[in-house]
Every structure is written in structure tokens, then in C-alpha cells.
Amino acid sequence: MAPDHKTQKYDRQLRLWHAHGQAALEKAHVCLVNGTATGTEALKNLVLPGVGAFTVIDAAKVSPDDVGNNFFVTRAHLGQPRAKVVTALLQELNDDVLGHYIDSDITPFVAAHPRYFDRFSLVLVTGHVPAATLLALDRVCWPRGIPLLVVKTCGFVSTLRIVTRAHHIVESHPDTPVRDLRLADPFPELVAFVDTFKPFDDMTSAELTHVPYPVILLHLWREWRAQNQDTPAREFRKYVQAEKDRHAARLTEAALKSLDANQSDTAVASAAASAADMENWDEALKQAFLAYTPTSVPRNVKDVLEHAILDMSANADSADEHAPVTNNSVVANPVANVTAGCAWPPTFWALCAALKSFVAEHGRLPVRGSVPDMKADTATYVSLQRVYRDKAAADAADLHARARAIAVPVVATSTPTASSASLSRSSSVGPSPATSPGMAAADAASTTAPALQIEAATNIDLATVTEFARHAATLHVLSTPSLHDEYARAHPQWTRALNDDPGMLSIYVVLRAREVFYARQRRWPGAHAADADADTARLRSAARDVVKALVAGGGNALVMEAAEGGADAHAEAGIATPVAPVVDVDDWVQECVRAGPAELAAVAGYMGGVIAQEAIKLITAQYVPMMNTYVYDGIHSKSEVLKA
């Protein structure tokens, strides 16, 4: 059967994140704050693979600077609303994607309509946005678990800050494939399969050279351990080597004896080589450690199972596994610390709670069910696969029954009105919030917190559980500090780096200093060439204050102040003047003043790719995103991830 249109259209990316990842992407709604060159490049890389919808919030008009660096505007658009223009052109890239725009400045918009952001899977901020506005967005997105991506760009340098309260990953796609053969603690069905093989000494050359290496290891381990109770397990490999050599010699001798005395030397050599072709035994030798390395629950999975959410929920106390769960069957209220938003997906946490119960009873994770390639005859390999798949299916069924009896928090949301739906899903360009009935409905709802209910997770299907069980060993729940926390607290590890070798941290300091500069001057450094010298001095002073804030904390108050002034500004902001390291950031200060508010198309293109890559990781819950702050130096072609 020929693949359908969607499979043909998205064939390459389906190989990366598969059909369920594509489904998650198509359900996503991304908000872009400011249709800048960097923002549109990032959005382009989300529209092309088929993100469900996007909304651009931007009050700017298309300017000559935009025409010079943004491929999604032209001279014909000069003076038109930038949000409208880029939305229309981005939609031309993919008919499957819905695009909307709001012609409004983000600062008053987020203050007036905080609940409007509840509809978004992810919020991306680009352009020159005051830190006070970023902190306001952080206060909206962080409690709701909506990932916030903040991009700061100035000339040849840029940073990407990922802010997520809790990001869950089921498929992390590790570089080293997970081999889950359970040879150190084999399950009964695997032992029974191994016992169907006759003794190795009774096997012919064809038989012995096609025994799967898990069978070889389990068989030899039982023999060796029975005779070597007190010997360190690492010595087992020597026994595997000795047995391989013994059987190779036996098979070679048997092959030579079977030859006619008049055979040529070539025939003799060929027979000997064929008998000694023991690739499967070489595999067993390389994987000998699997026989004595116990299967354990990885640290990343323990962190998930020890999460505070799972401490607040319990299995239903019901004899019928399909019976609905009532509030009386919950030991503690599992929503005490849970707020609405995609950081707390009920299905994921129900499966984690079921997995915690499974591990508590069995002391292990579910069997993955996959068998790596190995030397074996087809019939034996298929039989071995069936053993593992049947065990994986049994474990998944066990996990499914547990998951269906878990009480989970569910956010009760009202059905959108027709006018609200038209704003959020159907129109190619959205109406102004000032005239939108849907916006009025969102504002009315903003005064009421989302209702949280306790419901049984009976709607989780077996296919979802099976996929979860297959990847149980690579589960992650990651989080980053909120922007408010990053700005407010001290950073001892960064202080040490500033004393030793600031490196890329210098770029971070200067871009933070630009925000302090704006708080004091109400404009960005380098906006006017005539003020270049004065701006350089002011930005250098702001950088010193940022370094002090990294040492002593209080950076959030620093960016909210309106008065200029070094140490006095710290005192006015309530920050004790600390003894801070002297950091030479003068080169970066001059670069930021020289560049002013300009964005370069080349840097925008590069950062657009990085941003979209991380956004897709967050939306699909696959692969591990760069947590915290990514710093890019386009002058020296270097990048680094800073962790707060």
C-alpha cells in the first residue's frame, strides 16, 4: 500500500520523532512575541514540519530595518503591521498550519490578558523586550507549566533561555542504544527458552555457530558460577574465552577428520576456517558483563519516581481494576501542588505512578521487548524475539491495569465559545484584542483559577502504556529556574567562573546589562550613533552592576529601577553592594553599542534553527533539550550552555 499524503510530506521527520511525535506537533499552538528576523526564522522551522497553529503578538510596523534582515517582509509592506505581514507569508509555507496575529505591544497585553496564554503549548519571545515584561510573562507561564523561550540578540551574539517548570521526556533517544536482555536476573520464560538447547558439546558446527549470544552467556554463567561461588564475577569473561577456544579447536579437529585424505590444501584451510567461524561467541565475549551486571533502575528514572507529585497519589483500593476511582480511594490529594498546564500531563503522571507501583512490587522496570541484531539462525532469533516480546507485553498489561486504577488530577476547562475558537484556531489572521469577543471571554475567565478534579485514568489505552513501558529506562523530568529566580538569587558557580575564566558568560553578562541600561534610560544602547561614547560608559557600568547581582542576588530589582547609577542604584534597589570580581567585558560592551538594536540575518537564521530544534523537543517530549541558557558567539563561531 502506498503511503498517504501526510506520510509522504513529512517522511524525513517521521523517522526522527515518529507518528506520535508528529501528532503532538500538529496539536501544538505556539505563540511568537515580536515578528523579528530571529522570531520568523524560528517559526518558519516550526511551520514547515507542521506545527498545528501559531499566533504572532507584535505592535511594530514593518520598517526599512526589517526589510534588510527579515525574509518574511518586503518593501511593499513598509508601514504595515508586522504581525499581519509575517503571519500571512509564514502561512504560505504550509497549508496545514493555522496562523493568527494580534497587533498589540506585549507589555500592556500580558498585563491585561494573562489567561490568554493558557491556550499555548509554548511561548517564544524575540526582539528587544524589557526585562520587566519578561518577568511578567514568566509570572504567567511558569505557574501554568507553559514553556517559555526567551531569545536575546545583539549583533553577532545571541542567547536562548529555556524556562520550563517541569518538562517530561518519555523518548530521550540516547546515543547508546538501551540493551535490555535481563541476563543477570533472567525471567522464567527466558530460562525455559535457554533450557531447550542441547549441551554445547553435542552440537554440530552449524548448530554451535548459530546459538544466540544471550543463550551462550546464560548457559556458561550457570556452569561457571556453580563451580566458582567466591570468584569475582569479572573473571567470568576468561571462562567464556576458554570455552570459545575449546569449542573452536573441537570443531576444527572434527572438520579436518571429515575430509578425504586427498583433499587439496585449500579445501583443508577452508574447512578449518568455516568450523572456526564463531562470530556469535565473539559477541558473547564482548557482552560477557551482561551475565553478571544486575538490571537496576537508572538514576534519572528514580528521580521521576521520587517526584513530589507521586508521593501524593495512590492506587485505588478496589477489587475491580476497571472500577472508577472515587475520592475516598485516594490517600492524599494529588493536586495539592499541581497547577494547570502542560507541565503536569495527567496521563504521564498516571503512568509514572503505575510504574512506581510496578517497581515497588517487582524491583525492576518493565522488559523493553527489543532484541539487538546478533549472529543466529532465523528460526532461533525469531523465537528469542518472541520470548522478549511476550514478556514485554505481559509487563505492559500489568502496568496498564495499575495505570487504570490511579487517581490523577484533571484540569476542567470550559468549552471555548465560537468567537473564542475563531481567534484561537480557525482564522488565518486574528482580530485585534480590543474588538475580539473571544478575548473578552478569556479576560472574564482570568479571574477564576482552573478547576482541578480527581478522576481515574481509565481512558489510557494499552498502546500508550506499551510505548511508555518500552522507554521506561529513559524517562526524564527536567526543570529550570524561573526567570524571576534566575534574576533574584546569587549564582555562586557563575561567580567562580567570573573569577577564573568568564568565557561565554561575558556575553550573558552584557546582554543582561542591556536590560539594566533600558530600565535606566528607557531605550536600548547604541540606538543613536551620537550617544555611542556615553552609551558605552553607561553599559559598562550596568555590566558591573550585573556582576554584583550575580554575586549577591537582587538582579530582578536592578532591572526594575528607573534611576541610573552603579553602587547607588544597588542601594536604591535594596541590594547590598558586594565585593564582585572585576570582569573585562569591554569588547562585548563595545560590540553591543556598535550593533545597537540591529539583528543580522545570518545570526537570525542560525538561531532560528537552534530555537526550533529545542521547541520541537519540548513539544514532542522527545530528545533532551538544552536546559537553561544557550549562548552563541557568532564572531568566533562558538557556543556554550550555561546552567544556573
Side-chain angles (χ1 to χ4, degrees):
M1 180 182 294
D4 58 26
H5 171 70
K6 181 177 289 187
T7 301
Q8 293 180 11
K9 182 176 182 178
Y10 299 127
D11 175 67
R12 290 186 179 182
Q13 64 208 49
L14 287 172
R15 300 166 191 259
L16 292 175
W17 51 74
H18 311 295
H20 52 282
Q22 183 65 26
L25 187 63
E26 291 173 3
K27 292 176 182 177
H29 190 169
V30 174
C31 174
L32 171 64
V33 176
N34 296 327
T36 63
T38 303
T40 54
E41 287 289 340
L43 209 50
K44 173 201 72 176
N45 293 325
L46 294 175
V47 169
L48 287 173
V51 69
F54 67 87
T55 297
V56 180
I57 302 176
D58 190 357
K61 307 300 181 185
V62 176
S63 68
D65 288 342
D66 293 320
V67 176
N69 64 13
N70 194 330
F71 288 103
F72 292 92
V73 299
T74 66
R75 288 187 178 276
H77 297 125
L78 285 171
Q80 297 182 30
R82 188 168 63 180
K84 177 181 179 180
V85 171
V86 300
T87 298
L89 293 181
L90 282 166
Q91 270 204 288
E92 293 181 3
L93 298 176
N94 194 336
D95 293 337
D96 296 336
V97 179
L98 299 178
H100 326 284
Y101 75 90
I102 296 174
D103 186 10
S104 175
D105 184 79
I106 186 60
T107 299
F109 185 86
V110 70
H113 312 290
R115 283 295 306 281
Y116 186 74
F117 293 86
D118 288 353
R119 70 194 64 203
F120 297 122
S121 310
L122 178 145
V123 176
L124 168 62
V125 183
T126 62
H128 305 292
V129 179
T133 303
L134 294 178
L135 293 173
L137 268 172
D138 182 60
R139 287 192 294 271
V140 169
C141 295
W142 175 263
R144 294 169 169 80
I146 303 169
L148 174 64
L149 277 60
V150 178
V151 183
K152 304 173 187 177
T153 301
C154 182
F156 283 98
V157 298
S158 183
T159 62
L160 165 63
R161 169 71 154 92
I162 297 177
V163 187
T164 177
R165 184 176 180 183
H167 173 61
H168 73 280
I169 305 171
V170 176
E171 299 175 63
S172 58
H173 299 274
D175 294 335
T176 304
V178 176
R179 293 199 172 186
D180 185 24
L181 297 177
R182 308 295 172 106
L183 301 185
D185 44 3
F187 46 92
E189 295 84 352
L190 180 58
V191 174
F193 176 77
V194 172
D195 289 341
T196 62
F197 288 79
K198 60 185 178 182
F200 293 159
D201 285 336
D202 297 337
M203 290 185 178
T204 64
S205 173
E207 293 171 334
L208 190 62
T209 56
H210 288 84
V211 178
Y213 77 78
V215 175
I216 295 174
L217 290 176
L218 277 178
H219 181 81
L220 294 183
W221 173 259
R222 288 187 295 187
E223 285 184 352
W224 182 81
R225 183 47 85 188
Q227 302 171 9
N228 300 272
Q229 293 289 340
D230 300 325
T231 306
R234 62 178 179 273
E235 298 297 317
F236 170 64
R237 190 177 186 280
K238 296 179 180 178
Y239 181 70
V240 177
Q241 179 70 64
E243 285 297 289
K244 177 201 168 188
D245 293 342
R246 184 175 70 83
H247 285 294
R250 177 177 66 83
L251 295 180
T252 301
E253 182 180 358
L256 295 177
K257 286 182 179 180
S258 66
L259 293 175
D260 188 276
N262 296 322
Q263 293 286 344
S264 66
D265 293 341
T266 302
V268 172
S270 176
S274 177
D277 180 18
M278 303 181 71
E279 182 182 348
N280 56 333
W281 285 76
D282 291 332
E283 292 172 339
L285 197 59
K286 292 178 181 178
Q287 305 296 332
F289 68 93
L290 295 176
Y292 56 81
T293 303
T295 304
S296 59
V297 179
R299 180 68 260 174
N300 57 289
V301 180
K302 288 181 179 178
D303 291 341
V304 176
L305 301 185
E306 293 168 1
H307 198 283
I309 289 181
L310 300 184
D311 290 338
M312 294 184 292
S313 60
N315 291 344
D317 185 13
S318 173
D320 182 2
E321 67 184 43
H322 302 296
V325 180
T326 65
N327 288 342
N328 293 331
S329 65
V330 182
V331 175
N333 183 357
V335 299
N337 291 331
V338 180
T339 55
C342 54
W344 315 112
T347 297
F348 174 77
W349 288 111
L351 290 173
C352 288
L355 182 62
K356 185 174 184 178
S357 171
F358 184 97
V359 171
E361 179 175 338
H362 299 291
R364 60 172 177 83
L365 294 175
V367 171
R368 181 178 175 86
S370 60
V371 178
D373 291 337
M374 60 185 67
K375 176 74 176 293
D377 63 85
T378 302
T380 302
Y381 183 74
V382 170
S383 298
L384 181 62
Q385 280 186 318
R386 188 176 299 113
V387 169
Y388 280 99
R389 287 176 179 172
D390 289 349
K391 182 59 176 175
D395 284 353
D398 183 350
L399 197 65
H400 187 217
R402 296 171 192 269
R404 289 168 62 87
I406 296 294
V408 297
V410 176
V411 182
T413 56
S414 59
T415 303
T417 63
S419 57
S420 176
S422 69
L423 176 63
S424 64
R425 292 297 299 176
S426 61
S427 59
S428 61
V429 289
S432 166
T435 60
S436 167
M439 185 66 70
D443 293 341
S446 67
T447 59
T448 306
L452 292 171
Q453 306 173 8
I454 302 296
E455 292 184 7
T458 55
N459 62 337
I460 301 178
D461 57 68
L462 181 59
T464 300
V465 177
T466 301
E467 191 69 20
F468 179 87
R470 285 187 66 244
H471 301 285
T474 58
L475 296 179
H476 291 79
V477 172
L478 306 176
S479 63
T480 65
S482 66
L483 274 184
H484 181 274
D485 181 61
E486 177 185 339
Y487 280 47
R489 65 183 173 87
H491 296 271
Q493 74 280 22
W494 286 358
T495 303
R496 289 191 294 271
L498 289 170
N499 278 307
D500 299 333
D501 179 17
M504 303 289 278
L505 188 56
S506 299
I507 297 175
Y508 171 86
V509 168
V510 173
L511 292 182
R512 281 274 303 270
R514 292 179 79 249
E515 297 172 339
V516 177
F517 183 103
Y518 182 90
R520 295 169 176 171
Q521 304 297 320
R522 291 298 182 260
R523 63 178 178 82
W524 298 100
H528 307 293
D531 298 328
D533 292 340
D535 285 0
T536 300
R538 293 186 180 109
L539 188 58
R540 190 181 294 116
S541 173
R544 287 196 295 266
D545 291 342
V546 169
V547 172
K548 293 176 183 178
L550 293 178
V551 174
N556 56 333
L558 194 62
V559 296
M560 303 296 284
E561 65 178 86
E564 180 180 356
D568 291 338
H570 270 79
E572 292 175 9
I575 308 170
T577 303
V579 178
V582 177
V583 182
D584 183 9
V585 295
D586 198 57
D587 288 345
W588 294 117
V589 166
Q590 294 186 44
E591 167 63 15
C592 284
V593 173
R594 181 199 63 79
E599 282 190 59
L600 302 180
V603 175
Y606 174 82
M607 288 300 296
V610 173
I611 296 162
Q613 170 184 278
E614 299 308 304
I616 289 173
K617 292 177 184 178
L618 293 167
I619 291 170
T620 63
Q622 297 187 39
Y623 300 92
V624 180
M626 298 182 294
M627 302 308 289
N628 219 288
T629 303
Y630 172 81
V631 182
Y632 173 65
D633 171 7
I635 295 177
H636 303 98
S637 297
K638 297 192 301 184
S639 63
E640 184 178 336
V641 177
L642 305 177
K643 295 185 178 181

